[in-house]
Amino acid sequence: MTNPSPASPRPLVALSGFRFRFWPIVLAAVLMQVILELGRIPAREIYRAGTPLWDGYVSVFLLLAIAFQALLGLAAVLVMRRLLPATDPHLRWPPGASYAGVAALIGVGMGLVMLVADYWPALAAQTAPDMSYSKAPLDSAGYLLGMITTGLAEETIFRGLLVGMLVVLVPGRLRIGSLDLPVAAYLVALMFGLAHWESFTVNPFHQAMAQQIYAFAWGLTYVWLMERSRSLLAPIVAHGLGNFTEVAIVIALNALWA
């Protein structure tokens, strides 16, 4: 009796069910930029109109922009569902395990990674990291509120709308090792990084480059959470806590080392 031949080793990278279409990728990139910018326009106008009340309080503009971007993202999702009923934006309460606890731990870890990647020269020198907003307690509190709620806008736009759309229009899954995600997740993760391109114009190169790298990694993580929980809740939690953790530590270090 002969022994059966050993099974072939599992390939490290595998692409399945992929159908490339260029126009949906361009459409997704345009939608991303249009929604993000359209959300900033009314926020900017309201902020300027009320300057005597909140002059120098950047957090007011931030909170307004998040609110308008979230509303535009939701409106775009509703339109997408009408035009492309097969899409799933995951705008629902988790039908099973919420993964909220896992998302919270991941979010805190993300915040620590971002802190080191963005501010390692200041941390190494034990000097206060630069803050792009007022150090006034009220503005710091507003900025922290903006950080914890960022996911409401960005996860609705990037994962709910863009990933939801591209999963249908550019189908396929890409497995790298044990990470198995839709091709759309990788495409939108790239867009998520590129959405922060202005960082290269205002921040040191090391900080802007680090932001591109971790934004791509975080984008994949958010889709992983979304698929397992079948909801946007876990990505929103991770996204918000990641931003909140980094900014809260920066504020605390400025209070200690300034």
Side-chain angles (χ1 to χ4, degrees):
M1 182 176 180
T2 58
N3 292 326
S5 58
S8 301
R10 188 187 189 194
L12 178 65
V13 179
L15 180 64
S16 60
F18 177 58
R19 182 179 178 185
F20 177 75
R21 290 192 183 104
F22 185 63
W23 70 264
I25 300 172
V26 174
L27 175 61
V30 170
L31 280 174
M32 172 194 75
Q33 196 60 37
V34 167
I35 292 172
L36 292 176
E37 188 53 39
L38 282 179
R40 296 185 189 109
I41 291 172
R44 193 177 296 120
E45 292 305 313
I46 294 172
Y47 180 76
R48 287 172 178 167
T51 295
L53 292 175
W54 47 63
D55 186 26
Y57 284 75
V58 181
S59 62
V60 175
F61 168 75
L62 173 67
L63 291 167
L64 288 168
I66 290 170
F68 283 115
Q69 288 170 347
L71 290 173
L72 288 169
L74 286 171
V77 165
L78 292 176
V79 172
M80 177 184 71
R81 291 287 289 149
R82 297 277 294 183
L83 299 177
L84 205 60
T87 58
D88 183 3
H90 292 82
L91 286 174
R92 66 174 73 90
W93 191 257
S98 70
Y99 279 73
V102 174
L105 291 175
I106 289 174
V108 172
M110 287 175 170
L112 295 175
V113 169
M114 291 189 293
L115 176 72
V116 174
D118 292 342
Y119 299 109
W120 63 264
L123 295 174
Q126 293 191 5
T127 57
D130 290 335
M131 291 169 59
S132 58
Y133 47 93
S134 167
K135 295 181 181 179
L138 187 59
D139 198 37
S140 294
Y143 213 82
L144 286 173
L145 178 60
M147 293 298 99
I148 201 73
T149 57
T150 303
L152 293 173
E154 295 193 356
E155 290 311 302
T156 301
I157 296 167
F158 285 94
R159 259 55 65 177
L161 174 67
L162 301 184
V163 171
M165 179 180 72
L166 291 180
V167 161
V168 175
L169 297 178
V170 188
R173 294 189 71 87
L174 176 60
R175 181 181 57 77
I176 303 175
S178 60
L179 182 66
D180 187 355
L181 295 173
V183 170
Y186 298 90
L187 294 173
V188 175
L190 283 172
M191 295 179 196
F192 187 54
L194 293 174
H196 300 85
W197 65 269
E198 290 181 349
S199 181
F200 285 100
T201 66
V202 296
N203 293 323
F205 179 80
H206 76 270
Q207 184 175 350
M209 197 64 235
Q211 193 171 54
Q212 293 294 308
I213 295 169
Y214 65 61
F216 177 77
W218 297 172
L220 298 181
T221 305
Y222 298 144
V223 176
W224 182 87
L225 287 167
M226 182 180 74
E227 283 204 331
R228 274 145 189 81
S229 64
R230 292 179 288 168
S231 168
L232 278 184
L233 176 64
I236 288 171
V237 169
H239 197 144
L241 271 176
N243 290 348
F244 178 90
T245 298
E246 179 184 26
V247 173
I249 295 175
V250 168
I251 291 172
L253 291 178
N254 268 270
L256 289 172
W257 292 346

